[in-house]
Amino acid sequence: MTQAVRTYKGFEIHPLVYPRRHSDEQTRRNPDAGYEASVRICRVGANPSADGRVFRLPHLWPFEGTGKARLACMAHAEQLIDGRVDGQTVADL
């Protein structure tokens, strides 16, 4: 599967979706447990691993599927880039 990367206002948005961890901290392949998500943001053309920053999505419940989690990543990243998330910024990237 190809990872979806989107650009927005000079930033690259890399959604990071992974299976929900259980209380024993082991990742299991159980799609019914849901998914959690984070998003890596970097400037266009930068090395995402070295020059980017990862932000975890504040979500009370796990996402039902990877598609919903990816959509939420994109929306959260846009809010971060627009400066609408208290306590988090991408201004120094």
Side-chain angles (χ1 to χ4, degrees), residues 4-40:
V5 176
R6 180 170 176 229
T7 58
Y8 180 76
K9 294 186 178 179
F11 290 92
E12 288 183 1
I13 301 169
H14 301 260
L16 307 170
V17 178
Y18 40 92
R20 180 176 182 234
R21 289 195 181 264
H22 295 273
S23 59
D24 61 5
E25 292 298 317
Q26 303 233 350
T27 302
R28 299 186 182 129
R29 291 192 182 268
N30 180 3
D32 294 334
Y35 297 88
E36 295 183 14
S38 298
V39 62
R40 182 184 306 270

Side-chain angles (χ1 to χ4, degrees), residues 1-91:
M1 177 168 52
T2 305
Q3 183 180 7
V5 176
R6 180 170 176 229
T7 58
Y8 180 76
K9 294 186 178 179
F11 290 92
E12 288 183 1
I13 301 169
H14 301 260
L16 307 170
V17 178
Y18 40 92
R20 180 176 182 234
R21 289 195 181 264
H22 295 273
S23 59
D24 61 5
E25 292 298 317
Q26 303 233 350
T27 302
R28 299 186 182 129
R29 291 192 182 268
N30 180 3
D32 294 334
Y35 297 88
E36 295 183 14
S38 298
V39 62
R40 182 184 306 270
I41 301 174
C42 66
R43 292 277 180 187
V44 171
N47 179 349
S49 298
D51 301 323
R53 186 172 304 133
V54 175
F55 299 90
R56 187 175 174 121
L57 270 69
H59 201 65
L60 298 176
W61 295 279
F63 294 98
E64 294 176 8
T66 58
K68 289 182 180 184
R70 277 192 206 96
L71 288 172
C73 285
M74 298 300 183
H76 185 68
E78 288 178 6
Q79 290 178 352
L80 278 164
I81 293 166
D82 290 340
R84 295 184 294 176
V85 178
D86 290 335
Q88 296 181 333
T89 183
V90 295

